[in-house]
Amino acid sequence: DDATVGLSYLEVYQEKLYDLLADEDGDGEALGVREDAAGHVVVPGLTEHAVAAASDAARLLHRGALRRKTGATKMNASSSRSHALLQVRVRRASGAVGKLVLVDLAGSERATRTGAEGARLREGIEINKGLLALGNVVAALAANEEDAAAARRHVPFRDSKLTRLLRDSLGGTAATWVVACVSPRASDAEETANTLRYASRARAVANVRVRHAVSETPEQQLIAALRRENADLKARLRGGGAAATWTCCKD
């Protein structure tokens, strides 16, 4: 009873961030990404919704998935055209905050296999650029771990929005798992081999799991609570059913 749970969901589409749970119809406005005074990566304007039960999370996940960019190619009738990040944040009455981030990366593409043209081709190029930036970050982190005596390599987190958002998970203090999706088909052998090489490289990255004694400031807690209350009231006005009640502050 002393904890509240909030959920946010965004996608990185053509190097722009979009809130998949925003109230606006369509794409909505692209969001920015920056670091706060404590050095944490934040996305100003990203909505966070109250979650009181697993069914609430499932409903929000389904709602966001319907808004995610997809398109047909010769390899996939409903191919993801963006990378997506789902974040669950738990706040305790003491002010302590914990988070879980689930990331779904769009697969790399070769135009010769997907048959992509025009907008689909440009989407594929942007997908590959994000994955390349992620691969470069993983390679730099792995090299620093494998040869600690050598000069430290620069880790290019700022080369893409995706790598900036994943900074905590890559070489940071979070516990991180990677699930590699591969195909048993002979025609997909090259993609499978590349995926496994990337996953093997990622295993060399060492995260040092730490439980931080860091709490949100009262101002951050108030802003987050007001945003949740605002989203809750909008949901009620739309007739979306009962919504959770949040207490934004105490006397």
Side-chain angles (χ1 to χ4, degrees), residues 16-39:
K16 294 182 180 179
L17 306 183
Y18 294 98
D19 187 346
L20 293 174
L21 299 178
D23 294 321
E24 298 85 359
D25 294 329
D27 293 340
E29 294 185 2
L31 304 177
V33 57
R34 63 176 180 81
E35 292 183 8
D36 62 16

PDB file of all heavy atoms in Angstrom, residues 16-39:
ATOM      1  N   LYS A  16      13.134  10.336 -34.052  1.00  0.00           N
ATOM      2  CA  LYS A  16      12.254  11.210 -33.295  1.00  0.00           C
ATOM      3  C   LYS A  16      11.506  10.368 -32.268  1.00  0.00           C
ATOM      4  O   LYS A  16      11.196   9.206 -32.516  1.00  0.00           O
ATOM      5  CB  LYS A  16      11.262  11.937 -34.215  1.00  0.00           C
ATOM      6  CG  LYS A  16      11.927  12.921 -35.167  1.00  0.00           C
ATOM      7  CD  LYS A  16      10.891  13.635 -36.017  1.00  0.00           C
ATOM      8  CE  LYS A  16      11.551  14.624 -36.967  1.00  0.00           C
ATOM      9  NZ  LYS A  16      10.546  15.312 -37.830  1.00  0.00           N
ATOM     10  N   LEU A  17      11.220  10.984 -31.108  1.00  0.00           N
ATOM     11  CA  LEU A  17      10.531  10.283 -30.030  1.00  0.00           C
ATOM     12  C   LEU A  17       9.047  10.643 -30.035  1.00  0.00           C
ATOM     13  O   LEU A  17       8.686  11.822 -30.117  1.00  0.00           O
ATOM     14  CB  LEU A  17      11.130  10.657 -28.670  1.00  0.00           C
ATOM     15  CG  LEU A  17      12.642  10.478 -28.494  1.00  0.00           C
ATOM     16  CD1 LEU A  17      13.039  10.820 -27.068  1.00  0.00           C
ATOM     17  CD2 LEU A  17      13.067   9.065 -28.836  1.00  0.00           C
ATOM     18  N   TYR A  18       8.192   9.607 -29.929  1.00  0.00           N
ATOM     19  CA  TYR A  18       6.750   9.825 -29.877  1.00  0.00           C
ATOM     20  C   TYR A  18       6.158   9.070 -28.694  1.00  0.00           C
ATOM     21  O   TYR A  18       6.515   7.924 -28.434  1.00  0.00           O
ATOM     22  CB  TYR A  18       6.084   9.364 -31.179  1.00  0.00           C
ATOM     23  CG  TYR A  18       6.472  10.183 -32.387  1.00  0.00           C
ATOM     24  CD1 TYR A  18       7.461   9.731 -33.245  1.00  0.00           C
ATOM     25  CD2 TYR A  18       5.865  11.405 -32.653  1.00  0.00           C
ATOM     26  CE1 TYR A  18       7.843  10.484 -34.353  1.00  0.00           C
ATOM     27  CE2 TYR A  18       6.229  12.164 -33.761  1.00  0.00           C
ATOM     28  CZ  TYR A  18       7.223  11.695 -34.601  1.00  0.00           C
ATOM     29  OH  TYR A  18       7.601  12.450 -35.688  1.00  0.00           O
ATOM     30  N   ASP A  19       5.249   9.737 -28.003  1.00  0.00           N
ATOM     31  CA  ASP A  19       4.569   9.158 -26.854  1.00  0.00           C
ATOM     32  C   ASP A  19       3.433   8.276 -27.370  1.00  0.00           C
ATOM     33  O   ASP A  19       2.466   8.771 -27.948  1.00  0.00           O
ATOM     34  CB  ASP A  19       4.025  10.289 -25.970  1.00  0.00           C
ATOM     35  CG  ASP A  19       3.451   9.778 -24.658  1.00  0.00           C
ATOM     36  OD1 ASP A  19       3.226   8.561 -24.530  1.00  0.00           O
ATOM     37  OD2 ASP A  19       3.218  10.608 -23.760  1.00  0.00           O
ATOM     38  N   LEU A  20       3.521   6.968 -27.150  1.00  0.00           N
ATOM     39  CA  LEU A  20       2.498   6.050 -27.640  1.00  0.00           C
ATOM     40  C   LEU A  20       1.234   6.063 -26.794  1.00  0.00           C
ATOM     41  O   LEU A  20       0.224   5.457 -27.180  1.00  0.00           O
ATOM     42  CB  LEU A  20       3.062   4.624 -27.697  1.00  0.00           C
ATOM     43  CG  LEU A  20       4.174   4.401 -28.726  1.00  0.00           C
ATOM     44  CD1 LEU A  20       4.751   2.996 -28.595  1.00  0.00           C
ATOM     45  CD2 LEU A  20       3.669   4.643 -30.139  1.00  0.00           C
ATOM     46  N   LEU A  21       1.285   6.739 -25.643  1.00  0.00           N
ATOM     47  CA  LEU A  21       0.115   6.814 -24.763  1.00  0.00           C
ATOM     48  C   LEU A  21      -0.400   8.236 -24.620  1.00  0.00           C
ATOM     49  O   LEU A  21      -1.189   8.532 -23.718  1.00  0.00           O
ATOM     50  CB  LEU A  21       0.459   6.243 -23.380  1.00  0.00           C
ATOM     51  CG  LEU A  21       0.894   4.778 -23.347  1.00  0.00           C
ATOM     52  CD1 LEU A  21       1.260   4.361 -21.927  1.00  0.00           C
ATOM     53  CD2 LEU A  21      -0.182   3.865 -23.916  1.00  0.00           C
ATOM     54  N   ALA A  22       0.021   9.116 -25.514  1.00  0.00           N
ATOM     55  CA  ALA A  22      -0.434  10.512 -25.455  1.00  0.00           C
ATOM     56  C   ALA A  22      -1.926  10.569 -25.753  1.00  0.00           C
ATOM     57  O   ALA A  22      -2.491   9.687 -26.411  1.00  0.00           O
ATOM     58  CB  ALA A  22       0.351  11.360 -26.443  1.00  0.00           C
ATOM     59  N   ASP A  23      -2.571  11.629 -25.298  1.00  0.00           N
ATOM     60  CA  ASP A  23      -4.013  11.777 -25.488  1.00  0.00           C
ATOM     61  C   ASP A  23      -4.379  12.159 -26.916  1.00  0.00           C
ATOM     62  O   ASP A  23      -5.474  11.898 -27.377  1.00  0.00           O
ATOM     63  CB  ASP A  23      -4.562  12.846 -24.532  1.00  0.00           C
ATOM     64  CG  ASP A  23      -4.434  12.412 -23.077  1.00  0.00           C
ATOM     65  OD1 ASP A  23      -4.655  11.228 -22.809  1.00  0.00           O
ATOM     66  OD2 ASP A  23      -4.101  13.256 -22.239  1.00  0.00           O
ATOM     67  N   GLU A  24      -3.423  12.792 -27.645  1.00  0.00           N
ATOM     68  CA  GLU A  24      -3.731  13.254 -28.985  1.00  0.00           C
ATOM     69  C   GLU A  24      -3.896  12.078 -29.942  1.00  0.00           C
ATOM     70  O   GLU A  24      -3.258  11.046 -29.812  1.00  0.00           O
ATOM     71  CB  GLU A  24      -2.614  14.176 -29.531  1.00  0.00           C
ATOM     72  CG  GLU A  24      -2.405  15.434 -28.725  1.00  0.00           C
ATOM     73  CD  GLU A  24      -1.465  15.216 -27.550  1.00  0.00           C
ATOM     74  OE1 GLU A  24      -1.001  14.075 -27.378  1.00  0.00           O
ATOM     75  OE2 GLU A  24      -1.222  16.179 -26.806  1.00  0.00           O
ATOM     76  N   ASP A  25      -4.774  12.257 -30.925  1.00  0.00           N
ATOM     77  CA  ASP A  25      -4.901  11.277 -31.990  1.00  0.00           C
ATOM     78  C   ASP A  25      -3.731  11.445 -32.943  1.00  0.00           C
ATOM     79  O   ASP A  25      -3.149  12.521 -33.071  1.00  0.00           O
ATOM     80  CB  ASP A  25      -6.212  11.472 -32.759  1.00  0.00           C
ATOM     81  CG  ASP A  25      -7.421  11.168 -31.885  1.00  0.00           C
ATOM     82  OD1 ASP A  25      -7.284  10.299 -31.004  1.00  0.00           O
ATOM     83  OD2 ASP A  25      -8.476  11.797 -32.087  1.00  0.00           O
ATOM     84  N   GLY A  26      -3.388  10.376 -33.650  1.00  0.00           N
ATOM     85  CA  GLY A  26      -2.284  10.457 -34.592  1.00  0.00           C
ATOM     86  C   GLY A  26      -0.947  10.384 -33.893  1.00  0.00           C
ATOM     87  O   GLY A  26      -0.821   9.828 -32.796  1.00  0.00           O
ATOM     88  N   ASP A  27       0.083  10.968 -34.525  1.00  0.00           N
ATOM     89  CA  ASP A  27       1.437  10.852 -34.008  1.00  0.00           C
ATOM     90  C   ASP A  27       1.695  11.738 -32.795  1.00  0.00           C
ATOM     91  O   ASP A  27       2.506  11.408 -31.937  1.00  0.00           O
ATOM     92  CB  ASP A  27       2.450  11.210 -35.115  1.00  0.00           C
ATOM     93  CG  ASP A  27       2.434  10.183 -36.237  1.00  0.00           C
ATOM     94  OD1 ASP A  27       1.971   9.073 -35.991  1.00  0.00           O
ATOM     95  OD2 ASP A  27       2.865  10.534 -37.348  1.00  0.00           O
ATOM     96  N   GLY A  28       1.013  12.900 -32.717  1.00  0.00           N
ATOM     97  CA  GLY A  28       1.337  13.838 -31.664  1.00  0.00           C
ATOM     98  C   GLY A  28       2.657  14.530 -31.955  1.00  0.00           C
ATOM     99  O   GLY A  28       3.280  14.332 -33.008  1.00  0.00           O
ATOM    100  N   GLU A  29       3.089  15.357 -31.038  1.00  0.00           N
ATOM    101  CA  GLU A  29       4.333  16.088 -31.224  1.00  0.00           C
ATOM    102  C   GLU A  29       5.535  15.230 -30.856  1.00  0.00           C
ATOM    103  O   GLU A  29       5.484  14.437 -29.920  1.00  0.00           O
ATOM    104  CB  GLU A  29       4.328  17.363 -30.375  1.00  0.00           C
ATOM    105  CG  GLU A  29       3.294  18.393 -30.794  1.00  0.00           C
ATOM    106  CD  GLU A  29       3.414  19.678 -29.991  1.00  0.00           C
ATOM    107  OE1 GLU A  29       4.338  19.751 -29.149  1.00  0.00           O
ATOM    108  OE2 GLU A  29       2.603  20.582 -30.208  1.00  0.00           O
ATOM    109  N   ALA A  30       6.617  15.428 -31.604  1.00  0.00           N
ATOM    110  CA  ALA A  30       7.864  14.731 -31.278  1.00  0.00           C
ATOM    111  C   ALA A  30       8.421  15.293 -29.975  1.00  0.00           C
ATOM    112  O   ALA A  30       8.346  16.498 -29.716  1.00  0.00           O
ATOM    113  CB  ALA A  30       8.869  14.906 -32.411  1.00  0.00           C
ATOM    114  N   LEU A  31       8.961  14.434 -29.141  1.00  0.00           N
ATOM    115  CA  LEU A  31       9.502  14.824 -27.847  1.00  0.00           C
ATOM    116  C   LEU A  31      11.018  14.920 -27.907  1.00  0.00           C
ATOM    117  O   LEU A  31      11.658  14.304 -28.758  1.00  0.00           O
ATOM    118  CB  LEU A  31       9.103  13.803 -26.775  1.00  0.00           C
ATOM    119  CG  LEU A  31       7.603  13.532 -26.615  1.00  0.00           C
ATOM    120  CD1 LEU A  31       7.372  12.442 -25.580  1.00  0.00           C
ATOM    121  CD2 LEU A  31       6.864  14.806 -26.216  1.00  0.00           C
ATOM    122  N   GLY A  32      11.581  15.673 -26.976  1.00  0.00           N
ATOM    123  CA  GLY A  32      13.031  15.791 -26.893  1.00  0.00           C
ATOM    124  C   GLY A  32      13.584  14.891 -25.802  1.00  0.00           C
ATOM    125  O   GLY A  32      12.846  14.267 -25.043  1.00  0.00           O
ATOM    126  N   VAL A  33      14.890  14.816 -25.737  1.00  0.00           N
ATOM    127  CA  VAL A  33      15.553  14.032 -24.692  1.00  0.00           C
ATOM    128  C   VAL A  33      16.710  14.862 -24.155  1.00  0.00           C
ATOM    129  O   VAL A  33      17.416  15.527 -24.921  1.00  0.00           O
ATOM    130  CB  VAL A  33      16.053  12.664 -25.229  1.00  0.00           C
ATOM    131  CG1 VAL A  33      16.982  12.841 -26.411  1.00  0.00           C
ATOM    132  CG2 VAL A  33      16.738  11.862 -24.131  1.00  0.00           C
ATOM    133  N   ARG A  34      16.888  14.863 -22.838  1.00  0.00           N
ATOM    134  CA  ARG A  34      17.960  15.657 -22.234  1.00  0.00           C
ATOM    135  C   ARG A  34      18.365  15.009 -20.916  1.00  0.00           C
ATOM    136  O   ARG A  34      17.769  14.021 -20.475  1.00  0.00           O
ATOM    137  CB  ARG A  34      17.502  17.093 -21.988  1.00  0.00           C
ATOM    138  CG  ARG A  34      16.357  17.234 -20.993  1.00  0.00           C
ATOM    139  CD  ARG A  34      16.015  18.676 -20.722  1.00  0.00           C
ATOM    140  NE  ARG A  34      14.916  18.834 -19.777  1.00  0.00           N
ATOM    141  CZ  ARG A  34      15.032  18.759 -18.455  1.00  0.00           C
ATOM    142  NH1 ARG A  34      16.218  18.535 -17.908  1.00  0.00           N
ATOM    143  NH2 ARG A  34      13.986  18.922 -17.678  1.00  0.00           N
ATOM    144  N   GLU A  35      19.381  15.574 -20.303  1.00  0.00           N
ATOM    145  CA  GLU A  35      19.818  15.106 -18.986  1.00  0.00           C
ATOM    146  C   GLU A  35      19.412  16.136 -17.940  1.00  0.00           C
ATOM    147  O   GLU A  35      19.533  17.340 -18.169  1.00  0.00           O
ATOM    148  CB  GLU A  35      21.339  14.915 -18.971  1.00  0.00           C
ATOM    149  CG  GLU A  35      21.816  13.770 -19.852  1.00  0.00           C
ATOM    150  CD  GLU A  35      23.315  13.556 -19.753  1.00  0.00           C
ATOM    151  OE1 GLU A  35      23.940  14.189 -18.895  1.00  0.00           O
ATOM    152  OE2 GLU A  35      23.851  12.761 -20.541  1.00  0.00           O
ATOM    153  N   ASP A  36      18.932  15.647 -16.800  1.00  0.00           N
ATOM    154  CA  ASP A  36      18.557  16.571 -15.741  1.00  0.00           C
ATOM    155  C   ASP A  36      19.787  16.941 -14.910  1.00  0.00           C
ATOM    156  O   ASP A  36      20.913  16.544 -15.223  1.00  0.00           O
ATOM    157  CB  ASP A  36      17.452  15.970 -14.862  1.00  0.00           C
ATOM    158  CG  ASP A  36      17.883  14.685 -14.155  1.00  0.00           C
ATOM    159  OD1 ASP A  36      19.102  14.412 -14.083  1.00  0.00           O
ATOM    160  OD2 ASP A  36      17.004  13.956 -13.667  1.00  0.00           O
ATOM    161  N   ALA A  37      19.556  17.706 -13.857  1.00  0.00           N
ATOM    162  CA  ALA A  37      20.672  18.198 -13.049  1.00  0.00           C
ATOM    163  C   ALA A  37      21.473  17.063 -12.414  1.00  0.00           C
ATOM    164  O   ALA A  37      22.671  17.212 -12.146  1.00  0.00           O
ATOM    165  CB  ALA A  37      20.148  19.145 -11.971  1.00  0.00           C
ATOM    166  N   ALA A  38      20.822  15.916 -12.198  1.00  0.00           N
ATOM    167  CA  ALA A  38      21.511  14.779 -11.583  1.00  0.00           C
ATOM    168  C   ALA A  38      22.194  13.880 -12.610  1.00  0.00           C
ATOM    169  O   ALA A  38      22.808  12.883 -12.245  1.00  0.00           O
ATOM    170  CB  ALA A  38      20.523  13.956 -10.766  1.00  0.00           C
ATOM    171  N   GLY A  39      22.076  14.251 -13.896  1.00  0.00           N
ATOM    172  CA  GLY A  39      22.714  13.454 -14.938  1.00  0.00           C
ATOM    173  C   GLY A  39      21.866  12.319 -15.469  1.00  0.00           C
ATOM    174  O   GLY A  39      22.343  11.512 -16.276  1.00  0.00           O
TER     175      GLY A  39
END
